[in-house]
């Protein structure tokens, strides 16, 4: 991380056709200033995450060529309010400040383009004042001119140029001519960059002068008409806020909108996931025919394709979630939601912005970890990422169902549902407690005071949102997908490669309806019993015996490190069951009947409770680990998550198992 | 963010909804003060409190430059404001030397020179 922070800006080669010697242009602007639209226009949507300083904030970069052939690398800096006051070096401001400092220190030609929303000129000009002090050529691009024109007004670029001493271009990011006009201006800017005397003409404006300039620079044909139209726009936002931020209606609408978002992510994504799964299965069958039934075929179909299938299963969710988040952000509602729930989350050391990721985590941790990008405070964001694995996600449900069906078979439906409900609350409670503890330990430090811009409601731009969705999909494939496939291959080796010849084990079944010999036969025929995982499972028995786990459960836990739901099918393989994932009831029966060498029952309700306690807390999901590595850009935090969740899981399972024994449960 | 030690001026946290006020000073660390200045909340700037979230949540303000922001209450307490444009809250009017509990903290009124 620190190397990145101190490294001069370099540019990833290849994919975006950006070269290290290209002129570097930094796009700077406040959030919601139209910067992303302009970036999209200039680069034609061809962008990638640049290799720039930064820990948790991606700086997108794309190439563009000016009319006379000058190549420029356009870097889209995160939306920010100031480059001088950073508050915290890990915030967007801190990242931008480092970027500018490093760019100025390098020998590469460098210029700054500030994007200002014409409808909020006075706000943007405060940042202009700070950028004027940067020793780099500065160009002002005033966007949203179409919105202003619709109001019967226009921007007086000359007035701005005269007052600020920097060139000004007035554009509409939706206009196709915008690209050429801005690239022309960039070319002119860089051509005169050698004569930096332009800086001497830059004026230092007071806050009053900025307000006065902002009024002067907007030309309205009829006196007062612009104010009237701006007021109407504000009135719409005011009216909408009266409902959306109402003390009673606001939270109700918020819950409704979040429920719709939550449903959309999974209702829209599920059919696509099913289609991708069917395609993967067809490919797997075809490869099975081609490669036969040996180890190689198993490795390709179960190991590699299995891992790829996991990646594909998450892709639709990631894309739909990104679209939903961008819609919320672009319309201006995201800030409103954070406003409504901020107080609640403050108790836990978090803020309103953490609500959406924490909510999403109940379905799946992977998109939830991506969604933490909306959290501005770096420590808060890290805390949210670290506690998300504790929230009960949907992948835990098959295992919970198996454990409940196996060890709580004699309990009635009401009691089972109570246990089920308590598992959900245990996930939420553990995440909340962990958040409180982490904010005082691992992620302690001054939190940023909440300052949320509440922008006027606005229609989102589909092109920008589509581009962001595509980028998030690419990023997921590259950074998370590769890790998932690699770990899937490793798990396949652990579970499938035999390390010793078949030996008889102590496994016996007391199922009166089955002959013991048949049971032995089915176990001996199972390669998993001779696998590395089985060897490790046996080796771990002294450690896990105090929890009531034997080698078979240990193997199940090893297998489910890839994904929690794999626990069911892994246990199915161990107990010689086919399709245990789809039909777990026979497996539950075998688990209930499993015995030790002395004929005593291998598992009891206590084992089930301990197993549930373990699954509530342990981060049994390689995809989550990979996503955390991606978002924190280090292996330190995923290792921390694995360490603390497994330690908690072990202690909780130990306490539950022994406390249940103390209460006389067998 | 340090907690406010406001003078006679009430803090923004105590300002009435709908009232236009003017920032008297911001009692936070220098970086936070500069950052707030960048978003348009600085000494001399006018602010209108639009609403407050329930249970001591953030307050929603409009700055003189036209931007709207939600500020957490802890931050709002560091922003001392002058009543401007409408009647001040009764509890905001204090005599120099008087102490009173405002927003969970004890506040002592001090004499402040007029601008």
């Amino acid at each position: 991380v620190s190397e990145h922070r101190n490294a001069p800006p370099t540019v990833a080669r290849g994919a975006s056709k950006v070269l290290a010697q290209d002129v570097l242009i930094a796009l700077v602007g406040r959030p919601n200033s139209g910067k992303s639209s302009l970036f999209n226009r200039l680069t034609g949507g061809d962008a990638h995450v640049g290799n720039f300083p930064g820990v948790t904030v991606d700086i997108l970069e794309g190439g563009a060529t000016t009319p006379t052939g000058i190549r420029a690398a356009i870097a889209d800096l995160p939306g920010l309010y100031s480059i001088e006051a950073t508050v915290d070096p890990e915030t967007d401001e801190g990242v931008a400040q480092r970027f500018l400092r490093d760019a100025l220190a390098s020998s590469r030609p460098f210029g700054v383009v500030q994007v200002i929303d014409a409808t909020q000129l006075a706000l943007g000009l405060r940042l202009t004042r700070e950028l004027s002090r940067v020793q780099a050529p500065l160009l002002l691009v005033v966007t949203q001119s179409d919105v202003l024109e619709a109001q019967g007004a226009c921007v007086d670029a000359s007035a701005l140029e005269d007052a600020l001493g920097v060139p000004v271009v007035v554009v509409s990011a939706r206009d196709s001519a915008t690209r050429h006009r801005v690239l022309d201006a960039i070319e002119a800017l860089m051509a005169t960059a050698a004569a930096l005397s332009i800086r001497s003409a830059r004026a230092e404006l007071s806050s009053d002068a900025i307000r006065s300039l902002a009024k002067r620079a907007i030309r309205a044909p009829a006196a007062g008409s612009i104010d009237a139209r701006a007021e109407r726009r504000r009135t719409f936002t005011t009216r909408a806020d009266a409902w959306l931020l109402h003390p009673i209606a606001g939270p109700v609408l918020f819950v409704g909108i979040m429920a719709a978002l939550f449903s959309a992510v999974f209702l829209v994504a599920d059919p696509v996931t099913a289609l991708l799964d069917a395609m993967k299965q067809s490919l797997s069958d075809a490869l099975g025919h081609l490669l036969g039934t040996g180890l190689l075929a198993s490795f390709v179909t179960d190991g590699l394709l299995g891992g790829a299938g996991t990646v594909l299963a998450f892709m639709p969710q990631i894309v739909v979630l990104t679209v939903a988040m961008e819609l919320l952000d672009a319309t201006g509602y995201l800030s409103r939601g954070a406003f409504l729930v901020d107080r609640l989350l403050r108790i836990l050391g978090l803020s309103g912005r953490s609500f959406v990721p924490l909510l999403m985590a109940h379905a799946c941790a992977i998109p939830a970890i991506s969604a933490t990008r909306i959290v501005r405070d770096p420590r808060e964001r890290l805390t949210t990422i670290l506690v998300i694995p504790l929230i009960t996600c949907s992948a835990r449900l098959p295992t919970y169902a198996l454990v409940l069906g196996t060890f709580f078979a004699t309990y009635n439906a009401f009691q089972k549902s109570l246990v089920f409900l308590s598992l959900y609350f245990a996930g939420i409670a553990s995440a909340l407690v962990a958040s409180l503890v982490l904010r005082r330990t691992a992620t302690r430090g001054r939190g940023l005071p909440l300052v949320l811009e509440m922008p006027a409601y606005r229609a989102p731009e589909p092109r920008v949102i589509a581009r962001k969705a595509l980028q998030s999909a690419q990023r997921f494939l590259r950074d998370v997908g590769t890790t998932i496939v690699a770990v899937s291959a490793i798990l396949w080796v652990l579970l499938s490669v035999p390390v010793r010849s078949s030996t008889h084990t102590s496994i016996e079944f007391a199922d009166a309806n089955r002959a013991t010999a048949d049971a032995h036969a089915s176990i001996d025929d199972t390669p998993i019993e001779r696998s590395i995982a089985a060897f490790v499972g046996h080796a771990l028995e002294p450690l896990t015996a105090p929890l009531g786990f034997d080698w078979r459960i240990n193997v199940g836990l090893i297998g489910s490190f890839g994904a929690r739901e794999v626990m069911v099918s892994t246990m199915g393989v161990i107990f010689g069951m086919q399709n245990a994932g789809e039909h777990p009831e026979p497996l539950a029966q075998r688990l209930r009947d499993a015995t030790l060498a002395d004929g005593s029952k291998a598992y009891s309700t206590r084992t089930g409770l301990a197993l549930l306690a373990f699954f509530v807390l342990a981060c049994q999901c390689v995809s989550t680990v990979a996503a955390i590595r991606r978002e924190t850009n280090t292996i330190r935090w995923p290792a921390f998550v694995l360490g603390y969740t497994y330690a908690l899981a072990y202690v909780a399972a130990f306490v539950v198992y022994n406390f249940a024994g103390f209460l006389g449960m067998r | 963010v340090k907690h406010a030690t406001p003078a006679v001026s009430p803090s923004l946290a105590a300002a009435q909804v709908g009232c236009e006020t003017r920032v008297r000073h911001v009692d936070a660390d220098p970086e936070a003060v500069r950052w707030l200045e960048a978003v348009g909340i600085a000494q001399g700037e006018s602010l209108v409190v639009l609403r407050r979230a329930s249970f001591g949540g953030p307050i929603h303000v409009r700055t003189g430059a036209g931007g709207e922001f939600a500020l957490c209450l802890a931050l709002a307490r560091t922003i001392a404001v002058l009543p401007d444009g409408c009647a001040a809250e009764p509890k905001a009017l204090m005599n120099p030397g008087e102490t009173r509990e405002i927003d969970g903290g004890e506040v002592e009124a001090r004499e402040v020179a007029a601008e």
Side-chain angles (χ1 to χ4, degrees), chain A residues 35-85:
Chain A
K35 191 167 55 65
S36 293
S37 298
L38 184 67
F39 177 75
N40 203 33
R41 278 274 170 218
L42 294 179
T43 61
D46 179 22
H48 67 277
V49 178
N51 181 21
F52 294 119
V55 179
T56 56
V57 180
D58 282 340
I59 296 180
L60 291 177
E61 184 191 49
T65 306
T66 67
T68 60
I70 297 174
R71 293 173 51 81
I74 315 282
D76 185 14
L77 267 59
L80 49 87
Y81 297 97
S82 170
I83 54 156
E84 292 179 353

Side-chain angles (χ1 to χ4, degrees), chain A residues 436-453:
Chain A
L436 272 175
V437 173
L438 287 170
R439 287 301 271 140
R440 284 159 180 76
T441 53
T443 61
R444 72 176 174 276
R446 190 184 61 170
L448 292 183
L450 178 82
V451 182
L452 274 174
E453 183 162 5

Side-chain angles (χ1 to χ4, degrees), chain A residues 560-598:
Chain A
S560 63
F561 178 70
R564 292 179 179 92
E565 61 271 32
V566 176
M567 176 81 180
V568 180
S569 54
T570 308
M571 294 302 279
V573 172
I574 295 170
F575 284 89
M577 303 298 300
Q578 294 297 316
N579 302 321
E582 285 84 25
H583 309 289
E585 194 41 48
L587 173 62
Q589 184 63 46
R590 285 203 175 186
L591 282 167
R592 279 196 293 275
D593 296 341
T595 58
L596 297 174
D598 60 5

